[in-house]
Amino acid sequence: MIAPSLLQKPSPPWIIRSDQSLPNLLDQIRHNVSNAYIVVLDGSNMINYKGLYREFAEKLEFPDYFGHNLNAWIECLTDLDWLDKHNYVLIITNSGQLLSEKPDEKEALMDDLMEVCEEWSKPVNLDESWDRDAVPFHVILLA
């Protein structure tokens, strides 16, 4: 069971492995984590980068200009301005299938996700319209 307090703070661990069932995890988060924007992504749809980009773009409503490449993926994940949420919880089901066609690249993908989470943990104070407080952003990997 994941401690709800972990998901309410913009601090590590940002990527959490869990063997909970999806219904139990969703119920736990919905009842214990205020204002969580929960996105469920399916690792079986992300066996390669093409599928990964498609799944993230669809579920997180990436803008039409999304370029379906690694740099554009990271850029969209660190922006998400169009969603205007204040606590993100991404749940990846069937996580064992994530990049299963490219298993040697899965560690690099986890590093990229960690960087995204870390970027959200930093407040932006530039006296600009995009200024924001630190935002909790966590990824939960379900078997």
Side-chain angles (χ1 to χ4, degrees):
M1 189 153 138
I2 297 169
S5 61
L6 287 177
L7 302 177
Q8 294 175 328
K9 299 175 186 172
S11 56
W14 290 304
I15 299 179
I16 304 162
R17 296 182 190 282
S18 176
D19 58 2
Q20 282 184 262
S21 71
L22 179 60
N24 287 346
L25 180 59
L26 289 171
D27 187 55
Q28 177 190 357
I29 295 169
R30 287 180 181 137
H31 287 92
N32 297 299
V33 182
S34 62
N35 299 321
Y37 181 70
I38 304 166
V39 178
V40 178
L41 302 124
D42 188 346
S44 67
N45 293 333
M46 299 185 285
I47 61 173
N48 54 39
Y49 277 103
K50 181 179 180 181
L52 179 123
Y53 299 144
R54 184 175 38 244
E55 183 80 355
F56 271 81
E58 178 184 316
K59 299 288 176 71
L60 287 163
E61 305 171 28
F62 284 4
D64 292 338
Y65 61 79
F66 171 56
H68 295 270
N69 61 63
L70 185 60
N71 289 336
W73 179 73
I74 291 171
E75 183 180 324
C76 283
L77 275 179
T78 55
D79 182 356
L80 299 177
D81 194 37
W82 54 92
L83 295 177
D84 193 30
K85 304 298 178 186
H86 305 287
N87 184 342
Y88 295 92
V89 178
L90 308 185
I91 300 171
I92 300 178
T93 63
N94 303 306
S95 65
Q97 294 180 46
L98 186 63
L99 291 187
S100 59
E101 287 185 358
K102 302 247 183 212
D104 54 323
E105 295 182 23
K106 190 169 183 175
E107 186 175 333
L109 174 67
M110 292 298 114
D111 290 344
D112 292 334
L113 280 171
M114 284 279 256
E115 286 180 28
V116 167
C117 296
E118 188 174 358
E119 186 66 30
W120 279 101
S121 75
K122 300 172 188 172
V124 177
N125 298 309
L126 301 171
D127 284 332
E128 297 288 346
S129 63
W130 58 81
D131 285 2
R132 61 168 174 74
D133 293 331
V135 174
F137 192 105
H138 295 88
V139 178
I140 301 172
L141 303 173
L142 294 184

